[in-house]
Amino acid sequence: MCGIVALCYATDNPRLGAEGGDLLKRLEYRGYDSTGGAFVGEDRSITLLKSVGAPSRVVPGLGIDAQRGQRFVGQVRWATYGAVTQENCQPHEMACRMPFVGAHNGNVSNTDTLKTYLAERGHAILSDNDGEMIAHLAEDRYAELLSAPATVLDAARAALAASGIELDLPD
């Protein structure tokens, strides 16, 4: 299993890396084999820093603790799918449909099937890690939903109506 931490601010925060790095270090006692962090700025730029090793070494070694940004997702990994390599460290960054980062905690038993499915849909798979497959699936679906916002809003309205929740969604 892995440990995931995330932070989100309304604007760029110069201390985001220090806070995220501290959270990653708090997970170190669990014996994880790789550490990574993805920073998203207000301008939606992505900075991904990850490497094999424990948080106490990787966070200062890569300068995770010196980064700024608006959003942060970090992960410490205990290898279950894919060897302990740079490519299999999480989070994963992709731009097959849109710029996207993601991390995953758990085990996905059909990783090889998903890898084939995603490659057939044009995704550039870079690792053997199940977390990358989950991130690609999320990227794929999110991009699809963004391309048809009216359909998404109609589905949200129907779900709200069925639940009895009264909420005014924009047109």
Side-chain angles (χ1 to χ4, degrees):
M1 298 298 261
C2 306
I4 298 173
V5 295
L7 296 164
C8 184
Y9 285 94
T11 60
D12 273 350
N13 181 338
R15 292 203 26 83
L16 186 63
E19 292 174 12
D22 183 55
L23 290 172
L24 289 169
K25 289 180 198 175
R26 289 181 190 202
L27 296 173
E28 182 162 344
Y29 72 94
R30 297 179 181 179
Y32 296 114
D33 53 57
S34 62
T35 306
F39 297 85
V40 180
E42 262 184 283
D43 63 356
R44 297 189 178 200
S45 63
I46 297 171
T47 301
L48 178 64
L49 302 170
K50 62 183 185 175
S51 186
V52 171
S56 61
R57 183 179 65 76
V58 173
V59 168
L62 292 180
I64 288 174
D65 50 357
Q67 296 298 309
R68 65 179 302 126
Q70 183 183 25
R71 289 169 274 164
F72 169 80
V73 60
Q75 198 215 36
V76 287
R77 178 174 177 256
W78 185 4
T80 51
Y81 272 89
V84 181
T85 65
Q86 180 69 25
E87 294 77 23
N88 289 329
C89 297
Q90 293 193 58
H92 294 283
E93 178 182 8
M94 60 222 40
C96 302
R97 305 279 183 267
M98 60 188 299
F100 200 87
V101 294
H104 164 260
N105 182 12
N107 293 310
V108 178
S109 60
N110 64 338
T111 295
D112 293 334
T113 303
L114 289 173
K115 189 173 186 176
T116 300
Y117 167 79
L118 290 162
E120 288 170 354
R121 289 184 54 84
H123 288 269
I125 308 297
L126 304 176
S127 77
D128 294 317
N129 181 256
D130 55 352
E132 183 184 4
M133 304 318 132
I134 295 299
H136 276 288
L137 286 171
E139 174 212 20
D140 195 70
R141 184 67 176 140
Y142 188 60
E144 183 180 314
L145 292 173
L146 286 177
S147 70
T151 304
V152 175
L153 281 173
D154 288 344
R157 284 186 186 97
L160 286 169
S163 70
I165 297 173
E166 292 185 33
L167 181 65
D168 185 31
L169 294 177
D171 291 324

